[in-house]
Amino acid sequence: MATERELSEFLRSVERKAFKRALYHVRDEEAALDIVQDSMMKLAEHYGDKPADELPMLFQRILSNSTLDWFRRRKTRNAIFSNLSDFEGPEGEGEFDLLETFPQSQESIDEDSPEVSTSRKETLLQIEEALMDLPPRQREAFLLRYWEDLDVAETAAAMGCSEGSVKTHCSRAVHTLAQALRAKGIRL
């Protein structure tokens, strides 16, 4: 059984990655924050008595389900209120900047020339755009495997699909990303 301290440390360790993952899916900071907070609450309420080594997989699954629930609620709400967009603020508000999330040491800031820094920022923005253009399941598989660093079996469990599906989604995502970035002149 995970102690309260272990649960708290686990949640603290995954909060940023979970937020970024949710944000990549829903593309709305407030919604992503709500999804992550709901997921953390569900983990603490329903699975706080599980062993600490089971928490990562449980949390990934809860986060995936919470994200799917958000999309379902949104689809239902949009079906009921066809003009819901009239009540939303103008597009582009609260845009997420991937570059702000990368911690940088003072040394790396001092060493980079303005040209290198600008080039790196442009490249990261193009990578983020290409990632956002992936189909949702490919993006989810890619982020779980390469962002969350889960293995194929863990990713399949988190996504609720077979390991073969995970491999297919990841392969297609990598191919699509590589093709999109090559078209923009980026070679990694």
Side-chain angles (χ1 to χ4, degrees):
M1 180 173 147
T3 65
E4 190 173 319
R5 184 173 183 210
E6 288 174 323
L7 179 61
S8 180
E9 287 175 3
F10 168 74
L11 292 175
R12 191 175 303 114
S13 72
V14 297
E15 67 182 335
R16 285 182 186 229
K17 280 188 175 181
F19 174 72
K20 291 175 191 175
R21 179 177 157 207
L23 187 58
Y24 279 131
H25 285 292
V26 301
R27 300 175 186 182
D28 179 344
E29 285 187 16
E30 290 179 20
L33 240 157
D34 289 342
I35 290 168
V36 172
Q37 289 174 346
D38 288 345
S39 299
M40 289 180 164
M41 292 298 295
K42 287 177 185 174
L43 180 73
E45 288 174 10
H46 301 290
Y47 301 101
D49 60 341
K50 297 289 185 184
D53 61 335
E54 291 182 20
L55 295 178
M57 286 307 303
L58 287 168
F59 181 71
Q60 294 303 326
R61 186 66 184 166
I62 292 169
L63 184 61
S64 291
N65 288 339
S66 294
T67 304
L68 288 173
D69 290 345
W70 181 85
F71 278 110
R72 288 181 187 120
R73 284 191 304 273
R74 186 173 139 204
K75 183 177 179 180
T76 302
R77 185 175 39 240
N78 286 344
I80 295 171
F81 300 105
S82 60
N83 293 328
L84 185 62
S85 62
D86 295 342
F87 299 105
E88 296 175 355
E91 287 191 41
E93 274 187 13
E95 286 193 24
F96 176 72
D97 184 3
L98 180 65
L99 298 172
E100 293 177 1
T101 64
F102 291 121
Q104 288 187 336
S105 67
Q106 189 61 35
E107 294 172 3
S108 69
I109 292 171
D110 293 341
E111 291 175 5
D112 290 342
S113 69
E115 295 83 16
V116 170
S117 179
T118 301
S119 175
R120 181 182 303 123
K121 287 178 183 179
E122 289 174 4
T123 300
L124 288 172
L125 287 173
Q126 290 177 341
I127 291 170
E128 181 184 357
E129 287 173 8
L131 185 60
M132 297 296 269
D133 289 340
L134 289 174
R137 293 294 277 181
Q138 287 181 21
R139 184 172 51 243
E140 182 179 17
F142 182 85
L143 290 172
L144 285 171
R145 287 281 291 128
Y146 305 112
W147 184 276
E148 296 291 339
D149 205 24
L150 300 180
D151 64 27
V152 175
E154 292 169 331
T155 303
M159 291 179 64
C161 65
S162 70
E163 291 181 23
S165 292
V166 169
K167 291 176 184 177
T168 300
H169 288 310
C170 285
S171 174
R172 289 179 181 166
V174 168
H175 177 73
T176 303
L177 284 172
Q179 190 175 20
L181 295 175
R182 269 195 305 272
K184 293 179 180 187
I186 298 173
R187 302 234 184 260
L188 300 176

